[in-house]
């Protein structure tokens, strides 16, 4: 049994208990019997998580998401010298942030699912991680205990 939030007209929402047979009717999630691309693998994992309530599918989505996001970051670094100057650790951190944000959406919002392309959503999130900077980020100074202060 899963709890699915159903939105009603007005400000209130109600939560109803729905079994897995009814979930497939609520969510129009594609499934590929023989997944060949990363996007098809993502969609199959998404269906395993939402319909079958398989928590291990989130782990698999996270691991595959990091791998695909790191490929995207490396592709961006070929065209952009600022990204090229990032260390390998910083690039992997950007990939982690992009992948974990999507997994976080599945955990926070019970009705969240991606209908068409998981990799496109991941691509947009990688772009956000690479190119969006907040003003507060410039003000934060990191301290290394062995060396002097650096930012």
């Amino acid at each position: 049994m899963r709890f699915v939030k159903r939105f009603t007209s007005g400000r209130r929402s109600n939560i109803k208990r729905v079994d897995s047979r009814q979930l497939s009717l609520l969510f129009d999630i594609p499934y590929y019997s023989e997944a060949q691309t990363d996007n098809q693998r993502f969609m199959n994992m998404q269906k395993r998580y939402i319909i079958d309530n398989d928590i291990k599918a989130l782990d698999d989505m996270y691991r595959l998401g990091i791998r695909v996001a790191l490929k995207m970051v490396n592709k961006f670094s070929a065209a952009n010298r600022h990204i090229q100057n990032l260390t390998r650790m910083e690039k992997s951190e950007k990939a982690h942030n992009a992948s974990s944000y999507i997994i976080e959406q599945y955990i926070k919002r019970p009705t969240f699912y991606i209908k068409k392309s998981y990799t496109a959503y991941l691509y947009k999130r990688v772009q956000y991680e690479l190119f969006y900077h907040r003003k507060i980020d410039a003000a934060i100074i990191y301290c290394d205990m062995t060396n002097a202060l650096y930012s």
Side-chain angles (χ1 to χ4, degrees), residues 108-125:
K108 281 184 178 178
R109 300 172 15 198
T111 57
F112 177 81
Y113 75 101
I114 297 171
K115 193 171 187 174
K116 289 190 178 182
S117 179
Y118 192 98
T119 52
Y121 194 82
L122 186 63
Y123 180 80
K124 286 297 184 184
R125 194 62 204 177

Side-chain angles (χ1 to χ4, degrees), residues 58-119:
L58 277 182
D59 295 338
D60 297 338
M61 286 168 66
Y62 172 74
R63 278 192 229 103
L64 184 59
I66 285 181
R67 238 184 0 209
V68 172
L70 198 54
K71 287 180 194 175
M72 291 176 186
V73 169
N74 288 331
K75 193 163 188 158
F76 275 116
S77 70
N80 190 321
R81 68 178 176 87
H82 297 293
I83 299 170
Q84 210 170 31
N85 293 337
L86 293 175
T87 64
R88 191 173 72 193
M89 191 68 168
E90 289 172 327
K91 289 178 183 179
S92 65
E93 183 181 350
K94 301 285 186 186
H96 159 76
N97 290 345
S99 182
S100 63
Y101 176 81
I102 298 173
I103 300 301
E104 187 178 316
Q105 298 308 307
Y106 283 108
I107 294 170
K108 281 184 178 178
R109 300 172 15 198
T111 57
F112 177 81
Y113 75 101
I114 297 171
K115 193 171 187 174
K116 289 190 178 182
S117 179
Y118 192 98
T119 52

Side-chain angles (χ1 to χ4, degrees), residues 25-39:
L25 298 175
L26 290 174
F27 297 103
D28 183 27
I29 303 172
Y31 180 78
Y32 303 94
S33 59
E34 293 185 25
Q36 297 174 350
T37 64
D38 288 332
N39 190 52

Side-chain angles (χ1 to χ4, degrees), residues 4 6 18-19 21-29 51 113:
V4 177
R6 308 243 0 226
V18 179
D19 71 359
R21 287 170 289 178
Q22 292 173 324
L23 276 176
S24 60
L25 298 175
L26 290 174
F27 297 103
D28 183 27
I29 303 172
I51 304 299
Y113 75 101

